[in-house]
Amino acid sequence: MTSIGILGAGRVGANLAAKLSAAGHHVTLGVRNPEEAAARAAAPRITFADQRATARTADIVINATPGDSSLDRLTDLRTELSGKILIDVSNATRDAADGLPDNLVYPGSSLAEKLQAALPDTHVVKTLNTMLFTVMTAPESLATPPTAYVSGDDENARKTVTGLLGDLGWRPAWIEDLGDICTARATEAMILVVPHVLRRNGFQPFAVSLAR
């Protein structure tokens, strides 16, 4: 069992929390009002705390905050995140009028690279950012095997995250280790195809995957 803190309690964070908790991990959701969130919680094994306490007490932290503000939020938690693995599942985008991603906030770079530069004592690993949030915890739901890409400078951190992906239902053959953190700029750019797919097909489960 691993202590996992999730920053961001929206659809992505709540979905990950439920699956990881069911897999036996101790999960804390970082929220603005922990007492109110606990009163509304449907999963009793998930605890709630403010984001600073969540980052401080967890062994592994997942960034599920909005990508366009993640850098400022997490830089403020530099001390709490020191020495830990930070799994970044967010995309930093500017949205079009219909609310779908339109442009990258960090063209020529990536949110993951910016986070790693701002948090030099933290092992940032990028993954799960190339799919609808439901697929993150139910990859078997797609007719075609999906791909979870993994990027990070620390090899041991990437291996740890790969193991955690297994707890979310990802088979080893579906996980593509791309290597160091700069490869995240490629997977983050993949998000730009998504709005065109969603406008044509609606919010159906999907993943931007590698076919062999």
Side-chain angles (χ1 to χ4, degrees):
M1 182 181 73
T2 302
S3 174
I4 299 173
I6 301 178
L7 306 179
R11 293 180 299 178
V12 174
N15 187 46
L16 290 169
K19 187 65 176 279
L20 290 168
S21 176
H25 298 287
H26 178 268
V27 178
T28 301
L29 267 172
V31 296
R32 292 180 180 178
N33 192 327
E35 292 182 0
E36 179 181 329
R40 294 185 285 106
R45 287 178 295 182
I46 298 173
T47 58
F48 297 85
D50 62 59
Q51 293 198 345
R52 193 170 299 278
T54 298
R56 184 177 62 250
T57 57
D59 299 318
I60 296 174
V61 179
I62 298 175
N63 173 40
T65 65
D68 59 349
S69 60
S70 289
L71 185 58
D72 288 339
R73 291 170 186 260
L74 273 65
T75 299
D76 189 48
L77 301 175
R78 183 185 290 108
T79 299
E80 289 79 6
L81 292 169
S82 179
K84 300 183 179 183
I85 294 174
L86 173 66
I87 303 174
D88 177 31
V89 304
S90 295
N91 287 304
T93 59
R94 295 186 175 90
D95 295 342
D98 60 3
L100 294 177
D102 185 39
N103 288 296
L104 300 175
V105 173
Y106 306 112
S109 185
S110 64
L111 172 59
E113 290 173 273
K114 296 292 186 180
L115 287 171
Q116 187 59 84
L119 304 167
D121 298 322
T122 302
H123 303 303
V124 179
V125 178
K126 189 81 180 190
T127 193
L128 296 179
N129 63 304
T130 54
M131 62 200 69
L132 194 65
F133 74 96
T134 58
V135 180
M136 294 179 177
T137 58
E140 74 286 351
S141 65
L142 298 184
T144 304
T147 305
Y149 305 97
V150 178
S151 302
D153 287 340
D154 187 271
E155 183 177 1
N156 289 329
R158 297 199 310 271
K159 288 180 179 178
T160 297
V161 172
T162 296
L164 203 60
L165 290 176
D167 291 341
L168 292 174
W170 288 86
R171 300 177 186 176
W174 300 348
I175 301 171
E176 192 72 22
D177 186 336
L178 299 179
D180 63 36
I181 200 67
C182 72
T183 61
R185 69 181 63 178
T187 61
E188 289 190 26
M190 289 178 182
I191 195 66
L192 295 181
V193 75
V194 170
H196 307 295
V197 174
L198 295 182
R199 290 185 184 108
R200 291 179 61 87
N201 302 294
F203 280 83
Q204 300 295 320
F206 74 90
V208 183
S209 299
L210 179 67
R212 288 190 173 94

